[in-house]
Amino acid sequence: MESSMIKGRGLGRKGCRTARDRFRKLLEVATKELKKIKSKRIKDRRKNQKVINKSKKAAKEGARKKQEKKDINRKKGRQSMKITEETIQYVAALAKLTIPDEKKGQIAEELNNILGYMETMNQLDTKGVEPMSHVLPVKNVFREDEVVNKNEREQLLKNAPKQKDGSFVVPKTVE
């Protein structure tokens, strides 16, 4: 009775073989598809890496061109920025400051002088100069730590307001 039910459902000897063949075929197809997906992912990664490399090159090229433009402007002696009264008003509004109108022109002139001085400093050739953290050569003025064990108990206890049995006496803090 059981064998006829199994055969009826297609799970007998012939059915098992067919199911087994179908499973193998399905496994082969799935394996091929996975290989295709894997190779596509590898191609996509390579393509993305090429795009990233191109964008890095473009960024480096853009930075180089920008630096060249700055160098040209510096050589020509142009100021890269000019402070106007409108700029002063804008910055004052951002900082929530109130600046009288008669002071705005004076402040703009002072800031332009500072920027002009900075442009003069930018024209200096500093390629061979080592960067500094301080204008003066600063050295460590601290002495070396030396561990010294001396028996100076009596001398230390002379400063104590109260002492007992060679120790400091302090008020009780925990009850």
Side-chain angles (χ1 to χ4, degrees):
M1 183 93 170
E2 289 180 19
S3 62
S4 66
M5 287 177 61
I6 292 173
K7 287 181 181 177
R9 292 184 181 172
L11 298 175
R13 286 186 190 169
K14 290 183 179 179
C16 281
R17 186 191 290 157
T18 309
R20 202 176 288 153
D21 290 342
R22 286 185 196 153
F23 180 73
R24 285 184 185 152
K25 185 67 174 174
L26 182 63
L27 190 60
E28 287 176 17
V29 170
T31 306
K32 287 179 184 178
E33 289 297 319
L34 286 174
K35 285 181 181 178
K36 286 180 184 178
I37 291 170
K38 189 175 181 181
S39 65
K40 184 179 180 195
R41 284 184 181 171
I42 291 171
K43 287 178 185 177
D44 288 345
R45 282 185 193 149
R46 288 180 183 157
K47 186 178 179 181
N48 289 341
Q49 191 61 40
K50 287 179 183 178
V51 170
I52 290 170
N53 290 341
K54 284 181 182 179
S55 64
K56 284 181 181 179
K57 285 180 184 178
K60 285 181 183 178
E61 184 67 24
R64 187 184 60 77
K65 286 182 179 180
K66 189 175 182 180
Q67 185 61 39
E68 286 177 358
K69 190 175 180 181
K70 282 184 180 179
D71 291 342
I72 290 170
N73 286 343
R74 210 178 297 146
K75 288 177 183 175
K76 290 181 179 178
R78 287 192 228 157
Q79 262 192 343
S80 60
M81 183 179 210
K82 179 124 173 108
I83 304 292
T84 62
E85 289 187 22
E86 290 80 26
T87 309
I88 299 293
Q89 180 62 38
Y90 177 72
V91 173
L94 288 176
K96 296 185 180 180
L97 297 173
T98 310
I99 300 176
D101 290 336
E102 55 272 358
K103 290 276 188 177
K104 289 179 188 172
Q106 179 185 354
I107 292 171
E109 185 179 331
E110 289 174 2
L111 289 175
N112 282 324
N113 288 340
I114 292 170
L115 288 176
Y117 181 72
M118 294 306 294
E119 285 297 321
T120 304
M121 296 297 288
N122 284 337
Q123 291 175 358
L124 296 175
D125 183 23
T126 57
K127 288 182 182 170
V129 179
E130 208 174 301
M132 301 185 311
S133 62
H134 198 276
V135 177
L136 301 174
V138 178
K139 294 181 183 174
N140 189 357
V141 293
F142 299 118
R143 63 173 171 76
E144 291 293 323
D145 287 336
E146 297 176 9
V147 178
V148 179
N149 291 330
K150 294 183 180 177
N151 191 3
E152 300 177 348
R153 178 176 278 199
E154 286 78 29
Q155 191 177 7
L156 292 172
L157 288 173
K158 287 180 185 176
N159 295 326
K162 292 183 182 178
Q163 56 178 311
K164 180 180 179 184
D165 299 328
S167 300
F168 288 93
V169 177
V170 295
K172 191 174 185 180
T173 57
V174 179
E175 293 185 31

